[in-house]
Every structure is written in C-alpha cells, then in structure tokens.
Amino acid sequence: IAELGAASFELVRCNHCTMLFHTRVLSPAGLTRLYGHWIDAAQIERFESERARGSPEEASRFELARQTFKHLLRLHSLAGEPADFRVLDFGCGDGRALSLATGLGFDAWGVDPSVTRESRSSRHSACVRRSISEVVEATGGGFHAVLLMQVLEHVVSPRRVLEELEVVLRRDGVLLVEVPDARCIDGAPTSFDQFRTVQPLEHVNAFTPRTLT
C-alpha cells in the first residue's frame, strides 16, 4: 500500500506475562481507513465472486459455516436451551454467523465498527450496531451468549473489550473466544502461516493459551 511507504513492523514480548504484540499499531483513524476503505465490503465481495464454485475457498467457507452452526447450537445448550435465546456476535464482519443464528430462531445481534461491514452485515440481520453501548441502549443487555471469534487479536485493549462485554452478558451467560494460536512463533515469522498469525496492521496481539487466559 503506497500510503504506508517503507514502514516496517516489530514484534515484542513482555518478559513478565510473555504476551507477544506489535510495537506500532494504527490509530483509530487508521483503523477506520483500513476496514472502511482498504479492506471494505466491496473488495471482499469482489474477491469472493472471483472464486469458482467447488474451489478450496468455497470448501473453506462451507466448513466455517458448519463450525459456526455447531458453536451456536453448543452455546444454546450450555445456556440451558432458553426459548428466547439472545446471542451477540462482537466483530460480526459480514454477518454470516448472524444469518445462521437468525435462521435457528435466535435473537441475534451484532457489533462491527466498520460502516461498510455494518451495512453488509445488516443484509443478514437488521440488528447490527457500531458499538457495545448502542447494543445496550437497544436491548438493555441480558445476552445468553457472546461470540468473540477472531477479534481480540485486532484490538489494542483486549481486556477492556472483555470488561465491556461482561456488562451485556447474563450472570450465567457463555462467552466463546477464538484467536490465532501463536505458540509456534518465537521472533520474526518464518512462514506465511506465521505471518498471517501476526500480520501487521490487522493483528495487534498474538495470543497463546497462557496469555489468553
């Protein structure tokens, strides 16, 4: 990206807690530009439309949908299978999890700060907001489950995000967290998969089971 010039990235590890993270991250304005312009909904749709049916990418999307479906059913079970099951997908992206949840008859809400992604998500569900506070204002909270899938690695203050989500989650609610596993990374990335785990601009933090806990 020409606007970044010859900018470099550097990973550091905390000697106390062993957390691995980037020393340089985008400002809020930079994040808005990243997710609203550089990686916006139109680019995502164009990328997907160029992939032929039966491709590995399509198979991967099918597997992701299958896993998400299983997650939703499992969360419903852990919550005691309430008839009014309310679920929040924080960082809902294109809204596919919301679509599956709505199809199951759940009261599904999403949060995504990107205007273009919020618009894309709303095609699957009208209940998409740009912040947790907007969700609280609209619903009063009381969610049985919260999905936090591939999100914490993107935020500068993951603990603060968890504390904000605690407000909307019922006392007996369930939180599902998924992040890339960075246990194999010690220093600079040595493979494409490792680079994807700590990719600059998008990923701020690189979690292991220990640091996630």
Side-chain angles (χ1 to χ4, degrees), residues 87-98:
V87 58
L88 173 67
D89 185 7
F90 183 83
C92 58
D94 62 9
R96 292 179 183 178
L98 294 179

Side-chain angles (χ1 to χ4, degrees), residues 153-164:
E153 68 272 20
H154 293 267
V155 299
V156 174
S157 302
R159 184 180 179 88
R160 185 175 64 195
V161 170
L162 292 172
E163 290 171 344
E164 292 176 352

